[in-house]
Amino acid sequence: MPLTRRSFVQLSIGSMLSTSAARLLAQGVSAHKAQSIARPPASGRPFNARFVDIASAAGLRAPVIYGGVENKKYILESTGCGCAFFDYDNDGWIDIFLLCGTRLGGDPPEATNRLYKNNRDGTFTDVTEKSGLGAVGWASGVCVGDYNNDGFEDLFCTYFGQNRLYRNNGDGTFTDVTKAAGLWNDQPRWGAGCSFAISTCSSPTMFDSPSNMRQFRERTATAIGKASRSSAGPGACPPGDTHFTVTTAMELSPTSVSGLASPRLRRATG
């Protein structure tokens, strides 16, 4: 989703002006009576742990772009992004997926998410182009889960703009199935943290009736797949267990850009 400096400022000002004074004044930290725990005395044992930055030697040399270099004027530029350690090709070795942002003044050539394949010798190879995971935007969070139960782990990435779901094809490549999964939004959102949740035997009554399923869908903004009612009775898992993505995102309606409506905060629960 293209985002210019002018449109970002309009979006921010419109959202701020449309928020009532009462809501703004209600922000704060609630009081609590919990007492802090005293720090135990030092054990006296030596601490010989030492960490060494080996990113460059391991092949992780591409910069992570996120906002301005000299200064950051907006919150968007200062939030940063996440990463995921997962075995995308099922070879038994953990690979690395790094998110990336961009700049308000334009997209630098190196601004893209990157997938690094583990070479099994302490180094990694950038396989972003081959994997199909190259993407430019304001990425925020990422979670890993096999949402379609094919044995290969998939990726869900949150963004300022449009969240994205990538299906692992099992051959080292990924396909963006955001629209096919029903997760595309015509209105811009500010995606935050995300996670995959699964309906299991531990929650046998979640989909035990059409009414419960309808209520779940109404409360869940980003549902993936279709839930099927188990005919085996309570406590039994239906074949092909259903996965859902749960994310917290700020949904900004088009009218909020011009300052006529307030942003709506939606939490996908369940």
Side-chain angles (χ1 to χ4, degrees):
M1 171 184 173
L3 180 68
T4 63
R5 185 183 295 271
R6 181 184 297 273
S7 61
F8 174 74
V9 172
Q10 291 176 340
L11 185 65
S12 303
I13 295 177
S15 302
M16 181 174 60
L17 294 177
S18 61
T19 304
S20 65
R23 289 181 59 188
L24 288 175
L25 294 175
Q27 305 296 322
V29 179
S30 61
H32 62 85
K33 300 180 180 179
Q35 298 296 324
S36 59
I37 301 177
R39 177 178 295 182
S43 65
R45 292 176 295 182
F47 184 74
N48 298 320
R50 180 170 176 264
F51 293 89
V52 178
D53 185 352
I54 60 171
S56 180
L60 308 177
R61 303 184 182 93
V64 174
I65 308 297
Y66 221 91
V69 178
E70 300 298 331
N71 57 71
K72 300 181 185 296
K73 296 182 178 180
Y74 305 102
I75 295 177
L76 175 64
E77 299 178 272
S78 62
T79 56
C81 50
C83 65
F85 285 71
F86 75 118
D87 183 9
Y88 82 96
D89 53 359
N90 284 356
D91 65 351
W93 294 77
I94 294 296
D95 310 293
I96 302 177
F97 179 60
L98 299 180
L99 294 179
C100 188
T102 183
R103 304 198 199 284
L104 291 175
D107 301 326
E110 63 272 24
T112 179
N113 300 333
R114 295 185 185 275
L115 177 65
Y116 292 94
K117 176 179 173 58
N118 194 325
N119 298 325
R120 312 182 189 185
D121 59 0
T123 66
F124 294 81
T125 299
D126 188 338
V127 294
T128 306
E129 184 175 355
K130 176 184 176 181
S131 67
L133 290 176
V136 180
W138 296 95
S140 180
V142 58
C143 58
V144 178
D146 181 12
Y147 84 92
N148 57 350
N149 280 355
D150 64 352
F152 290 89
E153 294 182 312
D154 312 294
L155 295 170
F156 183 77
C157 305
T158 59
Y159 277 82
F160 177 88
Q162 173 60 56
N163 299 333
R164 298 173 184 175
L165 174 66
Y166 292 99
R167 185 188 65 223
N168 191 329
N169 299 321
D171 58 359
T173 66
F174 290 78
T175 300
D176 187 339
V177 294
T178 308
K179 289 187 177 181
L183 300 179
W184 184 264
N185 298 294
D186 294 328
Q187 300 175 345
R189 287 185 174 184
W190 194 331
C194 58
S195 64
F196 279 96
I198 181 172
S199 60
T200 64
C201 301
S202 61
S203 181
T205 60
M206 182 178 290
F207 308 120
D208 61 354
S209 71
S211 175
N212 287 352
M213 186 61 239
R214 182 174 61 254
Q215 292 175 10
F216 181 81
R217 284 176 175 167
E218 289 173 354
R219 291 185 290 113
T220 305
T222 52
I224 301 176
K226 298 180 180 179
S228 60
R229 181 180 178 183
S230 173
S231 59
C237 292
D241 219 353
T242 305
H243 294 62
F244 293 86
T245 296
V246 182
T247 181
T248 302
M250 181 71 78
E251 179 180 331
L252 301 173
S253 62
T255 52
S256 67
V257 176
S258 59
L260 300 179
S262 61
R264 294 173 293 171
L265 183 65
R266 288 189 176 182
R267 179 179 294 277
T269 58

